[in-house]
Amino acid sequence: MSTVCAIILDYFGSDKTIKCLSSLVDQGLDTVMIVDNSGDQNANMQLKEAVDVFSQKQLPFTIHKLINQQNLGFAKGVNDALCWLENNHPHSHYLLINNDAQATPGMLRVLLDYMHHDEKTTLVSPVMDT
C-alpha cells in the first residue's frame, strides 16, 4: 500500500502555507511535513499559530514541523525533511510542494496512477498553470 507525505517549504508565508495545506486536505495524504525555512522567530511563531488553528479541524493527515534556524534554500530544506522522515516516519512517496502552490482536486491520484502505470517511473510533476 502506498503512503504519501507532502513536504511544504515555508519562507515568511504562513497565509500561503495554510492555503496550500487546505488544497491538500482531500488528496489522500498520510502526512504533511512543513519546513519553516525563514530563520526568523516572528515568522516561526506566525506559522506555528496558523498551523495550530488549521489543525483544530478534522484532518485526514498528520502534520509535522521542522524549523530551520536560517534559510537553507529549497534543496537543503527538502533534504533535511526527507532525512528526518526516512529515519522517523518513512513513506513510499513524497510530494514536494512550495507553500505558494495549491493542488487541484484529484492531483495526487493522477500522479500516483501515472507512477503505478509504469514501474520505471520514479518522478512525476503536475503541469503548472500560471
Side-chain angles (χ1 to χ4, degrees), residues 22-36:
S22 295
S23 76
L24 297 173
V25 168
D26 293 325
Q27 295 291 327
L29 294 166
D30 300 284
T31 307
V32 173
M33 168 66 83
I34 300 172
V35 180
D36 181 355

Side-chain angles (χ1 to χ4, degrees), residues 51-77:
V51 170
D52 287 348
V53 168
F54 183 81
S55 296
Q56 291 175 1
K57 300 176 186 177
Q58 185 74 6
L59 298 175
F61 48 73
T62 303
I63 298 176
H64 297 284
K65 288 188 293 184
L66 183 63
I67 301 166
N68 293 326
Q69 299 305 310
Q70 61 185 2
N71 180 3
L72 302 177
F74 183 83
K76 178 81 169 115

Side-chain angles (χ1 to χ4, degrees), residues 1-6 27-32 60-64 89 91-93 108:
M1 184 169 141
S2 296
T3 58
V4 183
C5 175
Q27 295 291 327
L29 294 166
D30 300 284
T31 307
V32 173
F61 48 73
T62 303
I63 298 176
H64 297 284
H89 194 56
H91 292 74
S92 56
H93 297 88
L108 184 60

Side-chain angles (χ1 to χ4, degrees), residues 9-21:
L9 258 68
D10 178 273
Y11 181 74
F12 291 98
S14 59
D15 291 341
K16 292 177 187 176
T17 297
I18 297 304
K19 287 179 185 175
C20 180
L21 271 171

Side-chain angles (χ1 to χ4, degrees), residues 68-100:
N68 293 326
Q69 299 305 310
Q70 61 185 2
N71 180 3
L72 302 177
F74 183 83
K76 178 81 169 115
V78 167
N79 284 337
D80 286 355
L82 286 168
C83 285
W84 186 92
L85 286 160
E86 284 298 305
N87 288 323
N88 296 283
H89 194 56
H91 292 74
S92 56
H93 297 88
Y94 296 94
L95 171 68
L96 311 181
I97 187 166
N98 275 337
N99 69 330
D100 62 349

